[in-house]
mmCIF file of all heavy atoms in Angstrom:
data_model
loop_
_atom_site.group_PDB
_atom_site.id
_atom_site.type_symbol
_atom_site.label_atom_id
_atom_site.label_comp_id
_atom_site.label_asym_id
_atom_site.label_seq_id
_atom_site.Cartn_x
_atom_site.Cartn_y
_atom_site.Cartn_z
ATOM 1 N N ALA A 358 -3.211 6.230 -11.684
ATOM 2 C CA ALA A 358 -2.945 4.923 -10.992
ATOM 3 C C ALA A 358 -3.831 4.601 -9.851
ATOM 4 O O ALA A 358 -4.352 3.386 -9.713
ATOM 5 C CB ALA A 358 -1.374 4.928 -10.605
ATOM 6 N N GLY A 361 -7.134 3.594 -11.413
ATOM 7 C CA GLY A 361 -6.951 2.232 -11.817
ATOM 8 C C GLY A 361 -7.006 1.165 -10.765
ATOM 9 O O GLY A 361 -7.639 0.107 -10.846
ATOM 10 N N LYS A 368 -5.189 -4.322 -14.480
ATOM 11 C CA LYS A 368 -4.041 -4.342 -13.441
ATOM 12 C C LYS A 368 -2.713 -4.016 -14.168
ATOM 13 O O LYS A 368 -1.969 -3.288 -13.594
ATOM 14 C CB LYS A 368 -4.064 -5.626 -12.789
ATOM 15 C CG LYS A 368 -5.330 -5.739 -11.890
ATOM 16 C CD LYS A 368 -5.249 -7.118 -11.043
ATOM 17 C CE LYS A 368 -6.523 -7.078 -10.132
ATOM 18 N NZ LYS A 368 -6.574 -8.221 -9.364
ATOM 19 N N GLU A 381 8.473 9.581 -11.476
ATOM 20 C CA GLU A 381 8.301 11.114 -11.462
ATOM 21 C C GLU A 381 8.738 11.601 -10.035
ATOM 22 O O GLU A 381 9.540 12.505 -9.891
ATOM 23 C CB GLU A 381 6.973 11.499 -11.716
ATOM 24 C CG GLU A 381 6.634 11.738 -13.239
ATOM 25 C CD GLU A 381 5.165 12.375 -13.368
ATOM 26 O OE1 GLU A 381 4.402 12.386 -12.383
ATOM 27 O OE2 GLU A 381 4.911 12.749 -14.506
ATOM 28 N N PHE A 388 11.025 11.376 -2.169
ATOM 29 C CA PHE A 388 11.197 10.026 -1.805
ATOM 30 C C PHE A 388 10.136 9.369 -0.919
ATOM 31 O O PHE A 388 9.809 8.228 -1.187
ATOM 32 C CB PHE A 388 12.673 9.779 -1.250
ATOM 33 C CG PHE A 388 13.779 10.205 -2.033
ATOM 34 C CD1 PHE A 388 14.492 11.336 -1.818
ATOM 35 C CD2 PHE A 388 14.097 9.311 -3.124
ATOM 36 C CE1 PHE A 388 15.561 11.800 -2.636
ATOM 37 C CE2 PHE A 388 15.181 9.838 -4.163
ATOM 38 C CZ PHE A 388 15.822 10.948 -3.741
ATOM 39 N N LYS A 395 4.911 3.383 -4.271
ATOM 40 C CA LYS A 395 5.432 1.921 -4.589
ATOM 41 C C LYS A 395 4.745 0.833 -3.709
ATOM 42 O O LYS A 395 4.192 -0.231 -4.166
ATOM 43 C CB LYS A 395 6.928 1.831 -4.248
ATOM 44 C CG LYS A 395 7.404 0.534 -4.415
ATOM 45 C CD LYS A 395 8.955 0.531 -3.936
ATOM 46 C CE LYS A 395 9.665 -0.869 -4.331
ATOM 47 N NZ LYS A 395 9.012 -1.969 -3.867
ATOM 48 N N GLN A 402 10.082 -4.863 -6.922
ATOM 49 C CA GLN A 402 11.478 -4.342 -6.823
ATOM 50 C C GLN A 402 12.168 -4.342 -8.230
ATOM 51 O O GLN A 402 13.120 -3.513 -8.386
ATOM 52 C CB GLN A 402 12.254 -5.236 -5.777
ATOM 53 C CG GLN A 402 13.539 -4.469 -5.302
ATOM 54 C CD GLN A 402 14.128 -5.144 -4.114
ATOM 55 O OE1 GLN A 402 13.534 -6.152 -3.579
ATOM 56 N NE2 GLN A 402 15.232 -4.616 -3.624
ATOM 57 N N ARG A 419 26.945 13.838 -5.575
ATOM 58 C CA ARG A 419 26.626 15.181 -5.008
ATOM 59 C C ARG A 419 26.784 15.225 -3.549
ATOM 60 O O ARG A 419 26.484 16.288 -2.945
ATOM 61 C CB ARG A 419 25.208 15.525 -5.419
ATOM 62 C CG ARG A 419 25.166 15.718 -6.929
ATOM 63 C CD ARG A 419 23.812 16.229 -7.270
ATOM 64 N NE ARG A 419 22.924 15.396 -6.591
ATOM 65 C CZ ARG A 419 21.573 15.152 -6.924
ATOM 66 N NH1 ARG A 419 21.003 15.859 -7.804
ATOM 67 N NH2 ARG A 419 20.794 14.343 -6.201
ATOM 68 N N ILE A 442 31.395 1.512 0.558
ATOM 69 C CA ILE A 442 32.674 1.924 1.226
ATOM 70 C C ILE A 442 32.782 3.434 0.890
ATOM 71 O O ILE A 442 33.130 4.233 1.791
ATOM 72 C CB ILE A 442 33.922 1.086 0.757
ATOM 73 C CG1 ILE A 442 33.901 -0.239 1.377
ATOM 74 C CG2 ILE A 442 35.224 1.900 1.033
ATOM 75 C CD1 ILE A 442 34.773 -1.164 0.831
#
Side-chain angles (χ1 to χ4, degrees):
K368 288 183 181 185
E381 276 185 346
F388 299 106
K395 183 185 185 306
Q402 193 170 3
R419 291 183 311 202
I442 290 170

